[in-house]
Amino acid sequence: MKTIKHLFFALCIMTFLGCNSENEEDLMPDPDDPCEDNSATLSGAVSTIINNNCAVPGCHVSGTGRVNFTVAQNIIQNASTIRNYTQNGIMPPPASGRTLTAQQKQDIACWVENGAQNN
């Protein structure tokens, strides 16, 4: 009888430890994380945004003295700066007449948050 009690007790402890709140939180999406469901990629949304708003004549292209954003590696190396400048409305510059939507800014931010990979 003691063996059954010990087995039951051990099973209860294992169940309790396996179902703690940390594991449950990991399974639940974070409603405050805008990047939870955003899978923006460099080859998708991010390169389109940069090609249409940054890597344009007179801006971030070869021969301007600025970082050339027609080269993927340059975008990746400057990912944090791109995120910061777009989030703060510094880039594209207001005088350019170009603006980014909230979704475009979020796509850039999430791509950076998710590792700014060449994907």
Side-chain angles (χ1 to χ4, degrees), residues 54-95:
C54 309
V56 295
C59 288
H60 291 279
V61 294
S62 179
T64 61
R66 297 182 185 99
V67 179
N68 182 351
F69 287 159
T70 64
V71 178
Q73 194 59 37
N74 291 345
I75 297 169
I76 294 166
Q77 289 175 347
N78 290 278
S80 293
T81 301
I82 293 169
R83 177 194 56 207
N84 293 339
Y85 282 14
T86 56
Q87 292 296 304
N88 292 315
I90 296 169
M91 291 290 169

PDB file of all heavy atoms in Angstrom, residues 54-95:
ATOM      1  N   CYS A  54      14.199  54.118 -49.837  1.00  0.00           N
ATOM      2  CA  CYS A  54      15.561  54.447 -49.395  1.00  0.00           C
ATOM      3  C   CYS A  54      16.589  54.307 -50.530  1.00  0.00           C
ATOM      4  O   CYS A  54      17.400  55.200 -50.743  1.00  0.00           O
ATOM      5  CB  CYS A  54      15.964  53.536 -48.236  1.00  0.00           C
ATOM      6  SG  CYS A  54      14.764  53.464 -46.886  1.00  0.00           S
ATOM      7  N   ALA A  55      16.543  53.175 -51.207  1.00  0.00           N
ATOM      8  CA  ALA A  55      17.489  52.910 -52.295  1.00  0.00           C
ATOM      9  C   ALA A  55      16.943  53.512 -53.582  1.00  0.00           C
ATOM     10  O   ALA A  55      16.686  52.829 -54.568  1.00  0.00           O
ATOM     11  CB  ALA A  55      17.710  51.406 -52.429  1.00  0.00           C
ATOM     12  N   VAL A  56      16.785  54.824 -53.547  1.00  0.00           N
ATOM     13  CA  VAL A  56      16.232  55.570 -54.691  1.00  0.00           C
ATOM     14  C   VAL A  56      17.273  56.596 -55.139  1.00  0.00           C
ATOM     15  O   VAL A  56      18.158  56.960 -54.364  1.00  0.00           O
ATOM     16  CB  VAL A  56      14.900  56.262 -54.313  1.00  0.00           C
ATOM     17  CG1 VAL A  56      13.837  55.217 -53.985  1.00  0.00           C
ATOM     18  CG2 VAL A  56      15.075  57.219 -53.153  1.00  0.00           C
ATOM     19  N   PRO A  57      17.198  57.062 -56.375  1.00  0.00           N
ATOM     20  CA  PRO A  57      18.189  58.031 -56.864  1.00  0.00           C
ATOM     21  C   PRO A  57      18.381  59.190 -55.883  1.00  0.00           C
ATOM     22  O   PRO A  57      17.422  59.775 -55.379  1.00  0.00           O
ATOM     23  CB  PRO A  57      17.586  58.509 -58.183  1.00  0.00           C
ATOM     24  CG  PRO A  57      16.759  57.343 -58.651  1.00  0.00           C
ATOM     25  CD  PRO A  57      16.184  56.751 -57.387  1.00  0.00           C
ATOM     26  N   GLY A  58      19.653  59.462 -55.599  1.00  0.00           N
ATOM     27  CA  GLY A  58      20.002  60.562 -54.713  1.00  0.00           C
ATOM     28  C   GLY A  58      20.030  60.200 -53.239  1.00  0.00           C
ATOM     29  O   GLY A  58      20.410  61.020 -52.414  1.00  0.00           O
ATOM     30  N   CYS A  59      19.638  58.996 -52.907  1.00  0.00           N
ATOM     31  CA  CYS A  59      19.616  58.608 -51.484  1.00  0.00           C
ATOM     32  C   CYS A  59      20.616  57.482 -51.223  1.00  0.00           C
ATOM     33  O   CYS A  59      21.795  57.687 -51.393  1.00  0.00           O
ATOM     34  CB  CYS A  59      18.197  58.234 -51.058  1.00  0.00           C
ATOM     35  SG  CYS A  59      17.104  59.673 -50.944  1.00  0.00           S
ATOM     36  N   HIS A  60      20.144  56.327 -50.853  1.00  0.00           N
ATOM     37  CA  HIS A  60      21.025  55.228 -50.454  1.00  0.00           C
ATOM     38  C   HIS A  60      21.340  54.298 -51.616  1.00  0.00           C
ATOM     39  O   HIS A  60      20.958  53.122 -51.624  1.00  0.00           O
ATOM     40  CB  HIS A  60      20.410  54.470 -49.267  1.00  0.00           C
ATOM     41  CG  HIS A  60      20.413  55.269 -48.019  1.00  0.00           C
ATOM     42  ND1 HIS A  60      21.529  55.389 -47.221  1.00  0.00           N
ATOM     43  CD2 HIS A  60      19.446  56.026 -47.447  1.00  0.00           C
ATOM     44  CE1 HIS A  60      21.242  56.170 -46.192  1.00  0.00           C
ATOM     45  NE2 HIS A  60      19.989  56.575 -46.300  1.00  0.00           N
ATOM     46  N   VAL A  61      22.049  54.842 -52.599  1.00  0.00           N
ATOM     47  CA  VAL A  61      22.501  54.078 -53.761  1.00  0.00           C
ATOM     48  C   VAL A  61      23.980  54.386 -53.991  1.00  0.00           C
ATOM     49  O   VAL A  61      24.532  55.319 -53.408  1.00  0.00           O
ATOM     50  CB  VAL A  61      21.674  54.409 -55.028  1.00  0.00           C
ATOM     51  CG1 VAL A  61      20.232  53.938 -54.867  1.00  0.00           C
ATOM     52  CG2 VAL A  61      21.715  55.885 -55.351  1.00  0.00           C
ATOM     53  N   SER A  62      24.594  53.630 -54.851  1.00  0.00           N
ATOM     54  CA  SER A  62      26.008  53.804 -55.175  1.00  0.00           C
ATOM     55  C   SER A  62      26.280  55.221 -55.684  1.00  0.00           C
ATOM     56  O   SER A  62      25.486  55.784 -56.446  1.00  0.00           O
ATOM     57  CB  SER A  62      26.410  52.780 -56.235  1.00  0.00           C
ATOM     58  OG  SER A  62      27.769  52.933 -56.581  1.00  0.00           O
ATOM     59  N   GLY A  63      27.391  55.798 -55.249  1.00  0.00           N
ATOM     60  CA  GLY A  63      27.831  57.098 -55.747  1.00  0.00           C
ATOM     61  C   GLY A  63      27.302  58.293 -54.973  1.00  0.00           C
ATOM     62  O   GLY A  63      27.613  59.429 -55.312  1.00  0.00           O
ATOM     63  N   THR A  64      26.538  58.064 -53.920  1.00  0.00           N
ATOM     64  CA  THR A  64      25.986  59.191 -53.154  1.00  0.00           C
ATOM     65  C   THR A  64      26.797  59.513 -51.906  1.00  0.00           C
ATOM     66  O   THR A  64      26.568  60.535 -51.277  1.00  0.00           O
ATOM     67  CB  THR A  64      24.538  58.901 -52.708  1.00  0.00           C
ATOM     68  OG1 THR A  64      24.547  57.746 -51.860  1.00  0.00           O
ATOM     69  CG2 THR A  64      23.621  58.699 -53.894  1.00  0.00           C
ATOM     70  N   GLY A  65      27.714  58.620 -51.553  1.00  0.00           N
ATOM     71  CA  GLY A  65      28.468  58.813 -50.325  1.00  0.00           C
ATOM     72  C   GLY A  65      27.723  58.287 -49.095  1.00  0.00           C
ATOM     73  O   GLY A  65      28.223  58.374 -47.985  1.00  0.00           O
ATOM     74  N   ARG A  66      26.539  57.791 -49.302  1.00  0.00           N
ATOM     75  CA  ARG A  66      25.758  57.186 -48.214  1.00  0.00           C
ATOM     76  C   ARG A  66      25.851  55.673 -48.342  1.00  0.00           C
ATOM     77  O   ARG A  66      26.271  55.147 -49.365  1.00  0.00           O
ATOM     78  CB  ARG A  66      24.290  57.620 -48.302  1.00  0.00           C
ATOM     79  CG  ARG A  66      24.091  59.103 -48.121  1.00  0.00           C
ATOM     80  CD  ARG A  66      22.591  59.431 -48.172  1.00  0.00           C
ATOM     81  NE  ARG A  66      22.375  60.857 -48.113  1.00  0.00           N
ATOM     82  CZ  ARG A  66      22.140  61.631 -49.161  1.00  0.00           C
ATOM     83  NH1 ARG A  66      22.095  61.105 -50.369  1.00  0.00           N
ATOM     84  NH2 ARG A  66      21.960  62.919 -49.012  1.00  0.00           N
ATOM     85  N   VAL A  67      25.414  54.976 -47.313  1.00  0.00           N
ATOM     86  CA  VAL A  67      25.393  53.520 -47.373  1.00  0.00           C
ATOM     87  C   VAL A  67      24.500  53.090 -48.533  1.00  0.00           C
ATOM     88  O   VAL A  67      23.381  53.588 -48.684  1.00  0.00           O
ATOM     89  CB  VAL A  67      24.856  52.928 -46.046  1.00  0.00           C
ATOM     90  CG1 VAL A  67      24.808  51.415 -46.118  1.00  0.00           C
ATOM     91  CG2 VAL A  67      25.706  53.378 -44.870  1.00  0.00           C
ATOM     92  N   ASN A  68      25.002  52.176 -49.338  1.00  0.00           N
ATOM     93  CA  ASN A  68      24.278  51.696 -50.511  1.00  0.00           C
ATOM     94  C   ASN A  68      23.326  50.576 -50.088  1.00  0.00           C
ATOM     95  O   ASN A  68      23.741  49.458 -49.802  1.00  0.00           O
ATOM     96  CB  ASN A  68      25.281  51.189 -51.546  1.00  0.00           C
ATOM     97  CG  ASN A  68      24.620  50.717 -52.814  1.00  0.00           C
ATOM     98  OD1 ASN A  68      23.410  50.608 -52.905  1.00  0.00           O
ATOM     99  ND2 ASN A  68      25.434  50.412 -53.815  1.00  0.00           N
ATOM    100  N   PHE A  69      22.034  50.887 -50.072  1.00  0.00           N
ATOM    101  CA  PHE A  69      21.040  49.912 -49.652  1.00  0.00           C
ATOM    102  C   PHE A  69      20.520  49.051 -50.801  1.00  0.00           C
ATOM    103  O   PHE A  69      19.539  48.335 -50.648  1.00  0.00           O
ATOM    104  CB  PHE A  69      19.875  50.589 -48.932  1.00  0.00           C
ATOM    105  CG  PHE A  69      20.221  51.064 -47.545  1.00  0.00           C
ATOM    106  CD1 PHE A  69      19.462  52.056 -46.948  1.00  0.00           C
ATOM    107  CD2 PHE A  69      21.283  50.541 -46.833  1.00  0.00           C
ATOM    108  CE1 PHE A  69      19.758  52.509 -45.669  1.00  0.00           C
ATOM    109  CE2 PHE A  69      21.593  50.982 -45.558  1.00  0.00           C
ATOM    110  CZ  PHE A  69      20.825  51.975 -44.969  1.00  0.00           C
ATOM    111  N   THR A  70      21.199  49.086 -51.939  1.00  0.00           N
ATOM    112  CA  THR A  70      20.881  48.121 -52.987  1.00  0.00           C
ATOM    113  C   THR A  70      21.638  46.827 -52.729  1.00  0.00           C
ATOM    114  O   THR A  70      21.430  45.839 -53.429  1.00  0.00           O
ATOM    115  CB  THR A  70      21.221  48.660 -54.393  1.00  0.00           C
ATOM    116  OG1 THR A  70      22.630  48.872 -54.484  1.00  0.00           O
ATOM    117  CG2 THR A  70      20.462  49.942 -54.693  1.00  0.00           C
ATOM    118  N   VAL A  71      22.497  46.838 -51.718  1.00  0.00           N
ATOM    119  CA  VAL A  71      23.288  45.672 -51.324  1.00  0.00           C
ATOM    120  C   VAL A  71      22.708  45.127 -50.008  1.00  0.00           C
ATOM    121  O   VAL A  71      22.695  45.823 -48.994  1.00  0.00           O
ATOM    122  CB  VAL A  71      24.773  46.051 -51.139  1.00  0.00           C
ATOM    123  CG1 VAL A  71      25.590  44.857 -50.682  1.00  0.00           C
ATOM    124  CG2 VAL A  71      25.333  46.660 -52.424  1.00  0.00           C
ATOM    125  N   ALA A  72      22.228  43.881 -50.054  1.00  0.00           N
ATOM    126  CA  ALA A  72      21.558  43.281 -48.884  1.00  0.00           C
ATOM    127  C   ALA A  72      22.434  43.304 -47.641  1.00  0.00           C
ATOM    128  O   ALA A  72      21.952  43.601 -46.537  1.00  0.00           O
ATOM    129  CB  ALA A  72      21.127  41.852 -49.204  1.00  0.00           C
ATOM    130  N   GLN A  73      23.717  43.013 -47.785  1.00  0.00           N
ATOM    131  CA  GLN A  73      24.613  42.982 -46.616  1.00  0.00           C
ATOM    132  C   GLN A  73      24.686  44.351 -45.944  1.00  0.00           C
ATOM    133  O   GLN A  73      24.789  44.444 -44.732  1.00  0.00           O
ATOM    134  CB  GLN A  73      26.008  42.496 -47.025  1.00  0.00           C
ATOM    135  CG  GLN A  73      26.868  42.108 -45.845  1.00  0.00           C
ATOM    136  CD  GLN A  73      26.254  41.006 -44.993  1.00  0.00           C
ATOM    137  OE1 GLN A  73      25.617  40.070 -45.477  1.00  0.00           O
ATOM    138  NE2 GLN A  73      26.416  41.120 -43.694  1.00  0.00           N
ATOM    139  N   ASN A  74      24.617  45.424 -46.702  1.00  0.00           N
ATOM    140  CA  ASN A  74      24.626  46.773 -46.116  1.00  0.00           C
ATOM    141  C   ASN A  74      23.347  47.032 -45.318  1.00  0.00           C
ATOM    142  O   ASN A  74      23.381  47.690 -44.279  1.00  0.00           O
ATOM    143  CB  ASN A  74      24.775  47.827 -47.203  1.00  0.00           C
ATOM    144  CG  ASN A  74      26.158  47.810 -47.836  1.00  0.00           C
ATOM    145  OD1 ASN A  74      27.093  47.228 -47.307  1.00  0.00           O
ATOM    146  ND2 ASN A  74      26.275  48.430 -48.993  1.00  0.00           N
ATOM    147  N   ILE A  75      22.244  46.518 -45.800  1.00  0.00           N
ATOM    148  CA  ILE A  75      20.981  46.663 -45.067  1.00  0.00           C
ATOM    149  C   ILE A  75      21.078  45.910 -43.744  1.00  0.00           C
ATOM    150  O   ILE A  75      20.727  46.436 -42.686  1.00  0.00           O
ATOM    151  CB  ILE A  75      19.789  46.150 -45.910  1.00  0.00           C
ATOM    152  CG1 ILE A  75      19.634  46.991 -47.179  1.00  0.00           C
ATOM    153  CG2 ILE A  75      18.503  46.156 -45.090  1.00  0.00           C
ATOM    154  CD1 ILE A  75      18.661  46.409 -48.188  1.00  0.00           C
ATOM    155  N   ILE A  76      21.566  44.680 -43.809  1.00  0.00           N
ATOM    156  CA  ILE A  76      21.692  43.853 -42.603  1.00  0.00           C
ATOM    157  C   ILE A  76      22.627  44.508 -41.596  1.00  0.00           C
ATOM    158  O   ILE A  76      22.314  44.575 -40.401  1.00  0.00           O
ATOM    159  CB  ILE A  76      22.173  42.435 -42.980  1.00  0.00           C
ATOM    160  CG1 ILE A  76      21.093  41.733 -43.804  1.00  0.00           C
ATOM    161  CG2 ILE A  76      22.532  41.635 -41.743  1.00  0.00           C
ATOM    162  CD1 ILE A  76      21.565  40.477 -44.501  1.00  0.00           C
ATOM    163  N   GLN A  77      23.780  44.995 -42.054  1.00  0.00           N
ATOM    164  CA  GLN A  77      24.748  45.615 -41.150  1.00  0.00           C
ATOM    165  C   GLN A  77      24.216  46.893 -40.509  1.00  0.00           C
ATOM    166  O   GLN A  77      24.668  47.281 -39.441  1.00  0.00           O
ATOM    167  CB  GLN A  77      26.049  45.910 -41.890  1.00  0.00           C
ATOM    168  CG  GLN A  77      26.827  44.663 -42.227  1.00  0.00           C
ATOM    169  CD  GLN A  77      28.056  44.964 -43.072  1.00  0.00           C
ATOM    170  OE1 GLN A  77      28.231  46.056 -43.616  1.00  0.00           O
ATOM    171  NE2 GLN A  77      28.929  43.976 -43.206  1.00  0.00           N
ATOM    172  N   ASN A  78      23.274  47.550 -41.149  1.00  0.00           N
ATOM    173  CA  ASN A  78      22.717  48.801 -40.641  1.00  0.00           C
ATOM    174  C   ASN A  78      21.284  48.644 -40.135  1.00  0.00           C
ATOM    175  O   ASN A  78      20.568  49.637 -39.974  1.00  0.00           O
ATOM    176  CB  ASN A  78      22.774  49.866 -41.737  1.00  0.00           C
ATOM    177  CG  ASN A  78      24.195  50.292 -42.022  1.00  0.00           C
ATOM    178  OD1 ASN A  78      24.753  51.103 -41.327  1.00  0.00           O
ATOM    179  ND2 ASN A  78      24.792  49.701 -43.050  1.00  0.00           N
ATOM    180  N   ALA A  79      20.879  47.420 -39.865  1.00  0.00           N
ATOM    181  CA  ALA A  79      19.496  47.125 -39.509  1.00  0.00           C
ATOM    182  C   ALA A  79      19.009  47.923 -38.298  1.00  0.00           C
ATOM    183  O   ALA A  79      17.915  48.497 -38.329  1.00  0.00           O
ATOM    184  CB  ALA A  79      19.325  45.628 -39.261  1.00  0.00           C
ATOM    185  N   SER A  80      19.788  47.986 -37.247  1.00  0.00           N
ATOM    186  CA  SER A  80      19.360  48.712 -36.037  1.00  0.00           C
ATOM    187  C   SER A  80      19.189  50.201 -36.312  1.00  0.00           C
ATOM    188  O   SER A  80      18.235  50.823 -35.830  1.00  0.00           O
ATOM    189  CB  SER A  80      20.354  48.507 -34.900  1.00  0.00           C
ATOM    190  OG  SER A  80      20.326  47.172 -34.480  1.00  0.00           O
ATOM    191  N   THR A  81      20.097  50.767 -37.079  1.00  0.00           N
ATOM    192  CA  THR A  81      20.000  52.189 -37.420  1.00  0.00           C
ATOM    193  C   THR A  81      18.779  52.437 -38.299  1.00  0.00           C
ATOM    194  O   THR A  81      18.044  53.410 -38.085  1.00  0.00           O
ATOM    195  CB  THR A  81      21.278  52.656 -38.147  1.00  0.00           C
ATOM    196  OG1 THR A  81      22.398  52.424 -37.289  1.00  0.00           O
ATOM    197  CG2 THR A  81      21.200  54.126 -38.509  1.00  0.00           C
ATOM    198  N   ILE A  82      18.547  51.559 -39.255  1.00  0.00           N
ATOM    199  CA  ILE A  82      17.365  51.684 -40.112  1.00  0.00           C
ATOM    200  C   ILE A  82      16.106  51.651 -39.258  1.00  0.00           C
ATOM    201  O   ILE A  82      15.209  52.480 -39.419  1.00  0.00           O
ATOM    202  CB  ILE A  82      17.345  50.579 -41.194  1.00  0.00           C
ATOM    203  CG1 ILE A  82      18.497  50.778 -42.178  1.00  0.00           C
ATOM    204  CG2 ILE A  82      16.000  50.550 -41.914  1.00  0.00           C
ATOM    205  CD1 ILE A  82      18.731  49.602 -43.114  1.00  0.00           C
ATOM    206  N   ARG A  83      16.048  50.699 -38.345  1.00  0.00           N
ATOM    207  CA  ARG A  83      14.879  50.619 -37.454  1.00  0.00           C
ATOM    208  C   ARG A  83      14.712  51.904 -36.652  1.00  0.00           C
ATOM    209  O   ARG A  83      13.629  52.480 -36.596  1.00  0.00           O
ATOM    210  CB  ARG A  83      14.992  49.433 -36.502  1.00  0.00           C
ATOM    211  CG  ARG A  83      13.800  49.375 -35.517  1.00  0.00           C
ATOM    212  CD  ARG A  83      14.010  48.443 -34.363  1.00  0.00           C
ATOM    213  NE  ARG A  83      15.228  48.799 -33.666  1.00  0.00           N
ATOM    214  CZ  ARG A  83      15.958  47.948 -32.971  1.00  0.00           C
ATOM    215  NH1 ARG A  83      15.606  46.683 -32.873  1.00  0.00           N
ATOM    216  NH2 ARG A  83      17.046  48.347 -32.358  1.00  0.00           N
ATOM    217  N   ASN A  84      15.778  52.372 -36.033  1.00  0.00           N
ATOM    218  CA  ASN A  84      15.696  53.575 -35.202  1.00  0.00           C
ATOM    219  C   ASN A  84      15.279  54.803 -36.015  1.00  0.00           C
ATOM    220  O   ASN A  84      14.423  55.579 -35.586  1.00  0.00           O
ATOM    221  CB  ASN A  84      17.025  53.833 -34.492  1.00  0.00           C
ATOM    222  CG  ASN A  84      17.352  52.769 -33.473  1.00  0.00           C
ATOM    223  OD1 ASN A  84      16.469  52.058 -32.991  1.00  0.00           O
ATOM    224  ND2 ASN A  84      18.619  52.644 -33.145  1.00  0.00           N
ATOM    225  N   TYR A  85      15.865  54.967 -37.172  1.00  0.00           N
ATOM    226  CA  TYR A  85      15.556  56.145 -37.999  1.00  0.00           C
ATOM    227  C   TYR A  85      14.133  56.097 -38.553  1.00  0.00           C
ATOM    228  O   TYR A  85      13.465  57.121 -38.623  1.00  0.00           O
ATOM    229  CB  TYR A  85      16.560  56.280 -39.143  1.00  0.00           C
ATOM    230  CG  TYR A  85      17.905  56.851 -38.734  1.00  0.00           C
ATOM    231  CD1 TYR A  85      18.299  56.945 -37.409  1.00  0.00           C
ATOM    232  CD2 TYR A  85      18.793  57.298 -39.698  1.00  0.00           C
ATOM    233  CE1 TYR A  85      19.533  57.463 -37.053  1.00  0.00           C
ATOM    234  CE2 TYR A  85      20.036  57.823 -39.349  1.00  0.00           C
ATOM    235  CZ  TYR A  85      20.394  57.906 -38.024  1.00  0.00           C
ATOM    236  OH  TYR A  85      21.611  58.433 -37.683  1.00  0.00           O
ATOM    237  N   THR A  86      13.677  54.908 -38.946  1.00  0.00           N
ATOM    238  CA  THR A  86      12.310  54.832 -39.475  1.00  0.00           C
ATOM    239  C   THR A  86      11.282  54.972 -38.357  1.00  0.00           C
ATOM    240  O   THR A  86      10.257  55.627 -38.541  1.00  0.00           O
ATOM    241  CB  THR A  86      12.081  53.525 -40.259  1.00  0.00           C
ATOM    242  OG1 THR A  86      12.377  52.395 -39.430  1.00  0.00           O
ATOM    243  CG2 THR A  86      12.931  53.498 -41.519  1.00  0.00           C
ATOM    244  N   GLN A  87      11.568  54.402 -37.201  1.00  0.00           N
ATOM    245  CA  GLN A  87      10.632  54.506 -36.074  1.00  0.00           C
ATOM    246  C   GLN A  87      10.493  55.948 -35.593  1.00  0.00           C
ATOM    247  O   GLN A  87       9.420  56.362 -35.157  1.00  0.00           O
ATOM    248  CB  GLN A  87      11.102  53.632 -34.901  1.00  0.00           C
ATOM    249  CG  GLN A  87      11.030  52.151 -35.163  1.00  0.00           C
ATOM    250  CD  GLN A  87       9.619  51.665 -35.368  1.00  0.00           C
ATOM    251  OE1 GLN A  87       8.753  51.853 -34.528  1.00  0.00           O
ATOM    252  NE2 GLN A  87       9.368  51.048 -36.508  1.00  0.00           N
ATOM    253  N   ASN A  88      11.579  56.703 -35.667  1.00  0.00           N
ATOM    254  CA  ASN A  88      11.573  58.083 -35.179  1.00  0.00           C
ATOM    255  C   ASN A  88      11.231  59.108 -36.258  1.00  0.00           C
ATOM    256  O   ASN A  88      11.282  60.313 -36.011  1.00  0.00           O
ATOM    257  CB  ASN A  88      12.925  58.414 -34.550  1.00  0.00           C
ATOM    258  CG  ASN A  88      13.149  57.625 -33.277  1.00  0.00           C
ATOM    259  OD1 ASN A  88      12.258  57.519 -32.441  1.00  0.00           O
ATOM    260  ND2 ASN A  88      14.328  57.046 -33.127  1.00  0.00           N
ATOM    261  N   GLY A  89      10.912  58.651 -37.467  1.00  0.00           N
ATOM    262  CA  GLY A  89      10.511  59.569 -38.533  1.00  0.00           C
ATOM    263  C   GLY A  89      11.654  60.361 -39.143  1.00  0.00           C
ATOM    264  O   GLY A  89      11.426  61.332 -39.862  1.00  0.00           O
ATOM    265  N   ILE A  90      12.894  59.933 -38.872  1.00  0.00           N
ATOM    266  CA  ILE A  90      14.057  60.615 -39.441  1.00  0.00           C
ATOM    267  C   ILE A  90      14.243  60.198 -40.904  1.00  0.00           C
ATOM    268  O   ILE A  90      14.598  61.011 -41.751  1.00  0.00           O
ATOM    269  CB  ILE A  90      15.325  60.288 -38.612  1.00  0.00           C
ATOM    270  CG1 ILE A  90      15.150  60.840 -37.194  1.00  0.00           C
ATOM    271  CG2 ILE A  90      16.579  60.832 -39.276  1.00  0.00           C
ATOM    272  CD1 ILE A  90      16.203  60.346 -36.216  1.00  0.00           C
ATOM    273  N   MET A  91      13.971  58.937 -41.176  1.00  0.00           N
ATOM    274  CA  MET A  91      14.074  58.409 -42.531  1.00  0.00           C
ATOM    275  C   MET A  91      12.756  57.744 -42.898  1.00  0.00           C
ATOM    276  O   MET A  91      12.163  57.080 -42.054  1.00  0.00           O
ATOM    277  CB  MET A  91      15.210  57.398 -42.654  1.00  0.00           C
ATOM    278  CG  MET A  91      16.576  57.997 -42.544  1.00  0.00           C
ATOM    279  SD  MET A  91      16.927  58.973 -44.002  1.00  0.00           S
ATOM    280  CE  MET A  91      18.403  59.805 -43.490  1.00  0.00           C
ATOM    281  N   PRO A  92      12.316  57.851 -44.098  1.00  0.00           N
ATOM    282  CA  PRO A  92      12.860  58.774 -45.080  1.00  0.00           C
ATOM    283  C   PRO A  92      12.659  60.216 -44.612  1.00  0.00           C
ATOM    284  O   PRO A  92      11.700  60.510 -43.899  1.00  0.00           O
ATOM    285  CB  PRO A  92      12.066  58.480 -46.355  1.00  0.00           C
ATOM    286  CG  PRO A  92      10.881  57.686 -45.934  1.00  0.00           C
ATOM    287  CD  PRO A  92      11.159  57.110 -44.600  1.00  0.00           C
ATOM    288  N   PRO A  93      13.597  61.093 -45.015  1.00  0.00           N
ATOM    289  CA  PRO A  93      13.489  62.477 -44.549  1.00  0.00           C
ATOM    290  C   PRO A  93      12.199  63.132 -45.045  1.00  0.00           C
ATOM    291  O   PRO A  93      11.772  62.877 -46.173  1.00  0.00           O
ATOM    292  CB  PRO A  93      14.720  63.161 -45.141  1.00  0.00           C
ATOM    293  CG  PRO A  93      15.203  62.265 -46.226  1.00  0.00           C
ATOM    294  CD  PRO A  93      14.713  60.889 -45.921  1.00  0.00           C
ATOM    295  N   PRO A  94      11.578  63.932 -44.212  1.00  0.00           N
ATOM    296  CA  PRO A  94      10.323  64.585 -44.597  1.00  0.00           C
ATOM    297  C   PRO A  94      10.419  65.336 -45.933  1.00  0.00           C
ATOM    298  O   PRO A  94       9.472  65.338 -46.716  1.00  0.00           O
ATOM    299  CB  PRO A  94      10.039  65.534 -43.442  1.00  0.00           C
ATOM    300  CG  PRO A  94      10.714  64.886 -42.271  1.00  0.00           C
ATOM    301  CD  PRO A  94      11.948  64.244 -42.833  1.00  0.00           C
ATOM    302  N   ALA A  95      11.566  65.934 -46.218  1.00  0.00           N
ATOM    303  CA  ALA A  95      11.726  66.705 -47.455  1.00  0.00           C
ATOM    304  C   ALA A  95      11.682  65.822 -48.702  1.00  0.00           C
ATOM    305  O   ALA A  95      11.476  66.323 -49.804  1.00  0.00           O
ATOM    306  CB  ALA A  95      13.037  67.483 -47.415  1.00  0.00           C
TER     307      ALA A  95
END
